[in-house]
């Protein structure tokens, strides 16, 4: 056992050598194949991903943001419409709403999970509301019957932002299989990551799948026949081939994240460091991130850094407080929980590439922390 000197947030250099060789082989195949856009690799990955999520179809696109935009366009969300979402998310969530010309309406969050609060979301619904964009933040998915019921009651489209929730489950069903459609990102640090940008949207509605294939490819259903105002957002063959190699390891990697989370829950004991609510079922949460809350976050993260441990903040500024000026609405009761959360939250290493020794080291360092 080597003494641990540093723990990176994700140490890609620790990736399994056999996996890297397989990825290099897959890349060579694509280089030699002569087809680099919308070929067999994309098609087979779309089939594999739809099967994994348990839905009828998947459409590979350029990134998670584009997947979200296409989901919204498929739900006929446009100018004058409102979309209810959380302010505690990547700005891409907001950007997708803005790009279709709609107005984001920010609901507050549940302080124990960081996820959008259903009661607050209900307060945000006006007669202009068209959709709820639900982010399964950090890889956590919960109370999906309640979200579906709320959307049914007000005739809203339920769209899932699954960029952090690959492999997360609720009552044995995968994140991404509950809404009208769902968006995934394969940004390299996500639970399933490409070596570059990539994204996918999934749906159980074949019309949505068909339409998404048109939109990602200039708006042409057939080559040179354009009937929609589309975009260029195609998952490329290289990334699809790489994702096909990595997909069979996804469940194993997520289980390692779950084990790491379990260890944190049972072994972190420091009155200055609070943990979020643990998922009821062990296989529910995909633990894309492990988030703790600390009053003196700056001091705590500097203390970790001094001991060689990386940490990140998801997110230091809630979307509604960004400097960019755009039209938005907020829960009339305010966003106090989201604000407070964003001031205290800190993500500590949890990836499947972290060793047991490294995790034990992180736990020891955290348990020794004393607020100055
Ligand atoms: C990463 C992320 C996105 C955006 O994905 P990209 O592939 O970077 O466009 C959207 N929403 C959430 C919650 C994310 O974490």
């Amino acid at each position: 056992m080597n003494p641990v000197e540093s723990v990176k947030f994700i140490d890609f250099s620790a990736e399994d050598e056999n996996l890297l060789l397989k990825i290099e082989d897959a890349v060579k195949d694509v280089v030699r194949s002569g087809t680099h856009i919308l070929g067999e690799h994309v098609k087979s990955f779309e089939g594999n991903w739809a099967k994994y999520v348990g839905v009828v179809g998947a459409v590979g696109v350029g990134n998670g943001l584009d997947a979200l935009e296409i989901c919204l366009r498929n739900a006929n969300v446009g100018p004058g419409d409102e979309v209810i979402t959380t302010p505690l998310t990547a700005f891409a969530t907001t950007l997708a709403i803005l790009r279709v010309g709609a107005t984001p309406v920010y609901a507050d969050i549940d302080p124990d999970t960081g996820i959008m609060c259903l009661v607050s979301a209900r307060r945000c619904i006006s007669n202009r509301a068209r959709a709820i964009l639900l982010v399964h933040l950090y890889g956590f998915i919960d109370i999906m019957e309640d979200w579906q019921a709320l959307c049914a009651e007000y005739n809203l489209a339920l769209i899932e932002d699954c960029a952090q929730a690959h492999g997360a489950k609720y009552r044995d069903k995968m994140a991404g299989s509950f809404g009208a459609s769902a968006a995934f990102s394969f940004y390299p640090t996500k639970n399933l990551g490409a070596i570059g940008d990539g994204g996918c949207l999934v749906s159980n509605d074949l019309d949505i799948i068909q339409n998404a294939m048109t939109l990602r490819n200039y708006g042409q259903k057939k080559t040179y026949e354009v009937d929609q105002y589309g975009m260029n957002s195609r998952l490329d063959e290289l990334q699809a081939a790489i994702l096909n190699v990595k997909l069979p390891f996804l469940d194993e990697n997520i289980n390692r994240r779950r084990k790491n989370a379990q260890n944190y829950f049972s072994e972190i004991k420091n009155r200055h460091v609070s943990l979020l609510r643990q998922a009821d079922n062990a296989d529910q949460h995909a633990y894309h991130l492990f988030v703790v809350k600390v009053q003196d976050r700056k001091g705590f993260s500097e203390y970790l850094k001094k001991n060689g441990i990386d940490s990140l903040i998801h997110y230091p500024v809630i979307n509604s407080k960004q400097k960019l000026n755009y039209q938005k609405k907020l829960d009339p009761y305010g966003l106090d929980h989201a604000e407070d959360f964003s001031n205290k939250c800190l993500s500590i290493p949890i990836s499947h590439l972290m060793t047991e020794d490294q995790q034990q080291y992180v736990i020891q360092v955290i348990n020794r922390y004393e607020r100055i």
Side-chain angles (χ1 to χ4, degrees), residues 62-66 68 89-93 135-137 161-164 184-187 190 197-199 288 315:
N63 51 65
L65 169 59
D66 287 351
L68 282 170
T89 179
F91 197 72
T93 311
V135 182
H136 304 310
L137 193 72
D161 181 339
C162 298
Q164 303 187 0
F184 288 89
S185 163
F186 304 119
Y187 184 85
K190 309 287 184 181
D197 276 311
H288 173 58
Y315 293 88

Side-chain angles (χ1 to χ4, degrees), residues 26-37:
V27 168
K28 274 187 206 156
D29 275 355
V30 175
V31 171
R32 302 267 169 183
S33 73
T35 305
H36 304 146
I37 295 285

